[in-house]
Amino acid sequence: MAQKILICDDQPIIHETLGVYLESEGFEHISAMDGAEALTLANSAKPDLILLDLMMPKVSGIEVCRQIRAESRVPIIMLTAKGEEIDRILGLELGADDYIVKPFEMLELLVRVEKVLERHQKGRE
């Protein structure tokens, strides 16, 4: 069964581009365009990994991460334009498993997704 990735970003082009690349690597994906939808899908769809933008409408990515971490250990990779050191530290301190600054290289992102999923799986064994 394909692993499911939840893409949380307010830019449609990110969803389209990531979706094509994730599917080409054998992943399923679902999309949330704002933080409230991200929280709903994180709870109902039970993704295997979440790609999360910090700057989301309705509920910020920071708050989404905080709420998800209160209930779940699902891997989270922050995928955001906020690249200052303090932003990266905050994202990791909140519980993100990795932090990638936009613009990013698609192949690097795919490798990071695979590695985070592998580490998470090993931690469950």
Side-chain angles (χ1 to χ4, degrees):
M1 188 164 100
Q3 292 178 301
K4 189 181 335 178
I5 310 294
L6 172 56
I7 303 168
C8 307
D9 199 294
D10 60 342
Q11 297 178 29
I13 190 69
I14 296 288
H15 292 270
E16 293 169 21
T17 306
L18 281 175
V20 167
Y21 278 93
L22 290 169
E23 285 179 8
S24 74
E25 294 298 314
F27 294 104
E28 291 181 20
H29 68 91
I30 51 177
S31 294
M33 298 299 288
D34 62 60
E37 186 179 17
L39 287 169
T40 298
L41 287 173
N43 288 321
S44 65
K46 304 295 184 207
D48 296 294
L49 183 137
I50 299 172
L51 296 172
L52 178 62
D53 187 5
L54 284 179
M55 297 183 288
M56 299 273 288
K58 296 188 181 178
V59 179
S60 74
I62 291 171
E63 186 57 29
V64 170
C65 186
R66 186 177 285 131
Q67 288 187 35
I68 289 171
R69 275 295 167 257
E71 301 174 6
S72 172
R73 296 301 313 151
V74 63
I76 298 172
I77 297 177
M78 295 284 186
L79 188 61
T80 182
K82 296 186 81 163
E84 296 296 320
E85 180 181 27
I86 191 67
D87 297 315
R88 294 189 310 267
I89 290 169
L90 177 61
L92 294 168
E93 287 289 328
L94 285 172
D97 297 276
D98 203 348
Y99 194 104
I100 301 172
V101 178
K102 295 176 187 174
F104 55 88
E105 295 296 327
M106 195 58 66
L107 293 177
E108 179 184 358
L109 172 67
L110 291 172
V111 169
R112 287 176 183 250
V113 164
E114 290 171 359
K115 294 304 176 189
V116 167
L117 285 167
E118 284 175 14
R119 283 194 303 272
H120 182 72
Q121 188 63 34
K122 285 181 183 176
R124 297 165 108 188
E125 295 173 354

